[in-house]
Amino acid sequence: MSGAQGSSRGAQRLGEVVDRNRTITFTFNGKKYKGLEGDTIISALTANGVKIVSRSWKYHRRRGVMSGNYHDPNCHFQVNDEPNVRGAHRRLEEGMVVSTQNVSPSLKFDIGAVNQKLSRFLTAGFYYKTFIKPERLWPTYEKVLQRFAGGGKVAATGHHVPADKRYAHPDVLVAGGGPSGMSAALSAADAGSNVLLVEEEYELGGFLRWGTADELAVAQSLREKVAAHPKITTLTNAVVAGRYDQNWVSVIERGLPVVMESLIKVRTATLVAAPGLIERPYVFEGNDLPGVMLSTAVLRLVNLYAVKPGERAVVFTGNDSGIAAAEALRGIGVDVVQVVDARHGGGLVRATSSRGVLSGVELSDGSKVLCDLLVVAAGWTAPTTLLNLSGNHPVFDEAGARFVPGPDLDDTVFATGGLVGDGTIDEILAHGAAVGRQASERATNGSVTTVAPAFSPDPHLPLFFGTTKGIVDFSEDVSSKDLLTAAHEGYNSVELLKRYTTATMGPAQGKLETINTVAVLASANGESIEETGTTVWRPPYVPITLGALAGRSYEPVRYSPMQAWHESHGGINIVAGQWMRPEHYGDAAKEVSTVRSGVGIIDVTPLGKFELKGTDVTKLLNLVYVNKWSKLEVGAVRYGVMCGEDGVIFDDGVTGHLSEDRYFMSTTSSGAAGVYAHLESWLQTGFPEWDVTITNVTSAYASINIAGPQSRELLSKLVSDVDLSNEAFPYMNLRTGTIAGVPGCHMWRIGFTGELSFEIHVPAGFGAYVWETLMEHGADFGITPFGLEAQRIMRLEKGHFIVGQDTDGVTQGFSAGIDWLIKLDKDDFIGKPELQWQHDSGAGFRLVGIHPNDPKQVPTEASQIVIDGIIQGRITSSRFSPTLNRSICLGLVVPALAVAGTVVPIRLPNGTIIQGTVMEHHASYDHEGAKLRG
Amino acid sequence: MSRNKPVKYSALGLFKRGLSGKEWPRVWRDVDLKKTYDVVIIGAGVHGLSTAYYLAKNHGVKNVAVVDRAYVGGGGSGRNTAILRSNYLTPEGVRFYDRSVDLYRHLAADLNFNVMFAPRGHLTLAHNDGALRTMRWRAEVNKVQGIDSEVIGPEEIKKLVPYMDVSDDTRYPILGALYHPPGGIIRHDAVNWGYARAADAMGVEIHQKTEVLGINTAGGKVTGVRTNRGDVSAPIVINCTAGWATLIADMAGVKLPIITHPLQAAVTEPVQMFLSSVVVSGSLHVYVSQTDRGELVFGASTDPYAAYSMRSSLEFTEELAGHVLELMPSISKMRVLRQWSGLCDITPDFSPIMGFTEVEGFLVDVGWGTYGFKAGPASGEAMAQLAATNKTPEIISAFDLARFEEGRLASERGAAAVGH
């Protein structure tokens, strides 16, 4: 054999998938190797005579190929910066850097292997019984345990390259592209259904691919028919990972360029599960030695990759798969020295080793045979995961020695192939075809008339464990001895045993080891496997990368139409919920003084805005706000506060009456989504008979607040169809008119800053134009744009609270100083009983204005007011007021302190105590509101 | 009465039995259900088991049965993400959870069962100035109460979690975090088993696969329970059934203001240790920690709908992955291994309901929502005292059922929304 192909590469095989003309170079643990295109990492290593490929999780035992498929727990590698790569599945690529995970210092000499010597003391769950005292040493022990934790390494830096997700809506989704799956896909497609066929391997064909010449011919013919069928879409190297309610199915497509894998979200009318069978390991002493392989691993290595997995083989089999493996081995020139057939009374006692690899076997007749390859064919596991996820409970088929689907299958989910039974190829194809027709009938007509032929498992020997103890869970290094010990200690139900020993909890998620775990437990309990039961399979069927699940983020940042202007005029951004908006334009204090003396404009587009239409809007307003709305006249606006059923304030805002049955509601910026959900929830579940339609127009309008004594003068320059005089358009009113030639603008006389102001809502497309026009015409007045910070200062000067800052998750209505607003004489409203109780009891904190006695001290927000070691309140908002030239605060305090003139101790985060005085009003500026009304 | 002769767990014991091959005694006994007990506790999760343990240990009440329709720790106690902390927002919450963390800290020695409490530090991230203000508030409340808790900035966060992207060009920039060094993780199953074993050693009986079908009452008093294994009489019955609490309470004619929501979680394949802290982001609805085995364990907020179903959803893993990668973009090649779901019993004020009901002798320890596991030991201690003395201990006086009729709230909503 040429070096390029590897020393253990045999002559051409009929079904081989490697291209002997294309050599690929890669490294394994720093050493250079060559493989062929089409090789997996494992077939290439085996071709190069590498037998030990990893170390086990706990005892760091040497491990080689075992199941030889995606699930092989011994074949996890670090490949470049990717951890836990399935080496028996992943194809070789030029320049791949492959290394063994979790060995120190090397695969050959691994210090962790000392655990093997200690294994009698390190039985499953040993750590629960030790390291208990002294307590302070546990973190040290923990660090040692962590070093034995397996798995690869993830890089500390690097970006998530988003993999776009896509959707598919087939009539029939077939999971598994073996003979039964292809047959089902073809018959469903022939019946007129659109079919999506998903196969985990790189090629359709299932077990036929490593079969006889006849089987290869059948596979080829099916593949051609599938490829030619216009109604079948095929995905290979893809896997059906999960099935959720109403056949919402996740499919992972692998091996894509740039991104590793991507998620396809499929809503399918019917699902056909055709995953085939997984060969189960057999439990005996030495069953995890390098050189002990399952028959399908051998069949794959020999027939797909023309690789010799050993030189001298013993085959232990309970079925025809072992016989087929023996034949394949002979065909490639391996010396098969003995076939031990359990069906004819043959038995395997243990495998023996030399230098950590298989050297021979001991048989039940007492004979010992030297060999470097032991092929084991003990039986099959039906992976019922997708059916489990559809609510089906598998039942144990005693004769077939495997769990099969239970009778309670969802009527949109079907199963075929090895999952259901065994048979000749013709029988498999016939069952698949019938099930495909059923799936199509159910998907299109809704009623199933096709009758599937009888199909059930053939009798199989119950070969789960032998007379000696061995490994049950190869991922977790759990032996049958561990399981027996744990069961005898009382962890004797399958769920407790799993949690205590961690058996079935590793990367293979039970596909290889659950049945043997259950069998060992059943023997410990003296119960049947059926009585013992199995664990619940959970999604996903195989692990999915975070990258594929995450995909591209669709959580866009929201900007107002004026954002570009802000950024080009010195606006400094702040994150405000989903929005990005200017915090200031360089000097917030200067912005404040300009607004207080002249005029300024602020972009308040993020305010939640809803148009409410219908004959019952006032009923809704009366329900959700604590105040009264029945008498709000057209053209007027009113401030309202919403409370939850617990009486706790959760939003506030202004709502205006546009016309007979139309209202315009504004909410806080961060509360918009919550208010919308709240309103819809009450309408849909509480009062579906009400005539109210809510349209979220938050981003349909750009909103600008024009504030300052000269705001009317400025706005008059741009508005001709509305009389802006105080008499014609008083405070707390709204008008709709034309601004700078833009019709349909809402103008409200309200203001958060405490100055005369107009809040205008302009159709969003004209927002930037109106903003720029205001700036242009405001130049004569020395106009300033102002940001969130200036607004916060001014609202604090004016004593307006901010929901969520000056109130919290327990602040009920009467705590916020809105006693005047809460109308307990209303028939009913949300939160009324709790507010009534608060009103009567006087409980809860009270929001008050507080001035630090030292006007230069600005106590950090959240500074606590502590008296005699008990928290009596806290500062909720604090700023230095440029208008008053002193520090000002709002705070929540217990009622006893909420008396004007009370001096309270304020504890700063650094522990310093300063004094503050409780004020008569929340407002420190124009508490009568003369300016607003001017 | 048969007693489970306690055998001490220790390194020496492991060594000796390793040499001799002698098996350890059963972790708890498997005995017949009796006709009468002093106390029947429904639910063999951490609340039920710790209540039984403290009843026996602190009050000498040992004729106790803990019944469960499935197995020890099969509900929320074995499904949660095992995060412990005491940096709550209300003084009642802080005091209660601090007691719980304190009991957890010494639980391994107390139970002679290594529960693997790892105080690795707990970070609650703030992605906007409002959240940062809330973190500051929590820190200040905590400090006044003697809890180790402080607001830290992005550089310090980066030092604690080198994989975290603290740059300011992300979708949700990290502005700071509430850092709580005593917070951490624990092995939840070990807590359940440890309590069960220690309670059993004092005479408490653990009855798995014993489903309560009805609650017997007479003249406004509880007289016992009906189970699939027969009737049992007891003057005190304690409901510790979390997500199923309302169904059990219904059997006694007691209505609870509780809605059950599913809460989902997921775990990745193991990788080498890289995350020592517990990281929580309320804005991104995610919390994450790495187990000693190397797996990342993720949780999020409860599902928005009420359900008793424990099915998983694809959307949960999608949103979770997206948000985790916002925080740590370099781990995108890690794989989600398994997802699952548990049930949470949520009250209107996000605080538990503990104590008496209108049916004499029928006690509840329910309504724990998403943070029942953290409360397990303190809650068991208080419930045991209440059951033994017929008086409500001061530490849980704010959590009585009557508060919903009298308008007293004990809200932890501010700290509980995704507060893990």
Side-chain angles (χ1 to χ4, degrees), chain A residues 2 57 96 137 141 175 255 258 260 325 384 389 433 507 526 537 556 840 843-844:
Chain A
S2 76
W57 170 273
M96 246 184 188
L137 281 184
Y141 297 136
V258 185
M260 287 175 53
T384 55
L389 300 180
W537 303 76
D840 298 345

Side-chain angles (χ1 to χ4, degrees), chain A residues 369-693:
Chain A
V369 186
L370 293 179
C371 61
D372 68 347
L373 175 65
L374 171 61
V375 184
V376 179
W380 308 99
T381 292
T384 55
T385 313
L386 287 177
L387 306 183
N388 263 189
L389 300 180
S390 314
N392 185 258
H393 300 280
V395 294
F396 189 69
D397 184 298
E398 199 73 45
R402 67 185 193 234
F403 279 95
V404 295
D408 53 341
L409 201 52
D410 186 288
D411 77 338
T412 62
V413 178
F414 300 81
T416 184
L419 198 51
V420 181
D422 301 314
T424 62
I425 298 226
D426 287 343
E427 286 168 340
I428 292 170
L429 296 180
H431 190 265
V435 166
R437 263 192 306 281
Q438 291 178 332
S440 176
E441 287 166 354
R442 181 69 183 81
T444 47
N445 309 330
S447 74
V448 174
T449 57
T450 300
V451 178
F455 197 55
S456 59
D458 290 341
H460 285 277
L461 290 177
L463 293 177
F464 304 109
F465 52 86
T467 53
T468 50
K469 307 285 192 294
I471 296 293
V472 175
D473 187 325
F474 292 73
S475 312
E476 299 283 314
D477 243 2
V478 179
S479 69
S480 50
K481 182 167 183 292
D482 287 326
L483 295 178
L484 290 168
T485 305
H488 290 150
E489 257 182 67
Y491 302 96
N492 54 0
S493 69
V494 66
E495 294 290 349
L496 285 177
L497 186 71
K498 162 181 141 184
R499 285 164 173 76
Y500 185 71
T501 64
T502 73
T504 78
M505 294 185 81
Q509 285 290 288
K511 289 174 201 67
L512 297 167
E513 60 278 358
T514 291
I515 181 62
N516 291 339
T517 304
V518 172
V520 171
L521 176 61
S523 80
N525 288 346
E527 292 176 334
S528 70
I529 288 177
E530 178 68 44
E531 283 167 331
T532 305
T534 180
T535 53
V536 180
W537 303 76
R538 302 191 190 283
Y541 177 68
V542 290
I544 309 175
T545 56
L546 289 170
L549 286 169
R552 193 179 296 277
S553 169
Y554 286 102
E555 295 176 34
V557 178
R558 301 178 76 179
Y559 297 111
S560 91
M562 290 83 95
Q563 182 67 16
W565 189 95
H566 302 321
E567 288 183 7
S568 61
H569 290 77
I572 303 300
N573 286 331
I574 184 171
V575 178
Q578 294 178 309
W579 296 81
M580 197 72 89
R581 56 190 302 191
E583 184 176 19
H584 57 80
Y585 298 82
D587 185 349
K590 197 166 157 228
E591 290 165 22
V592 170
S593 55
T594 308
V595 171
R596 292 272 184 240
S597 61
V599 66
I601 57 175
I602 179 171
D603 181 352
V604 292
T605 302
L607 283 175
K609 296 178 280 287
F610 304 110
E611 212 173 291
L612 303 131
K613 191 168 184 309
T615 52
D616 295 316
V617 174
T618 43
K619 287 184 187 165
L620 177 68
L621 298 176
N622 277 324
L623 174 73
V624 298
Y625 283 126
V626 298
N627 51 339
K628 293 183 181 175
W629 294 83
S630 303
K631 291 183 180 159
L632 185 70
E633 285 173 10
V634 172
V637 301
R638 185 167 288 170
Y639 172 72
V641 169
M642 294 184 195
C643 290
E645 283 178 282
D646 49 9
V648 171
I649 295 172
F650 91 95
D651 205 71
D652 68 345
V654 174
T655 290
H657 198 165
L658 297 176
S659 63
E660 190 52 36
D661 62 350
R662 279 174 68 220
Y663 287 77
F664 195 94
M665 174 186 280
S666 67
T667 73
T668 62
S669 304
S670 54
V675 170
Y676 185 61
H678 181 68
L679 299 180
E680 282 294 348
S681 173
W682 277 99
L683 280 178
Q684 290 176 30
T685 64
F687 301 95
E689 68 279 13
W690 284 359
D691 171 26
V692 181
T693 307

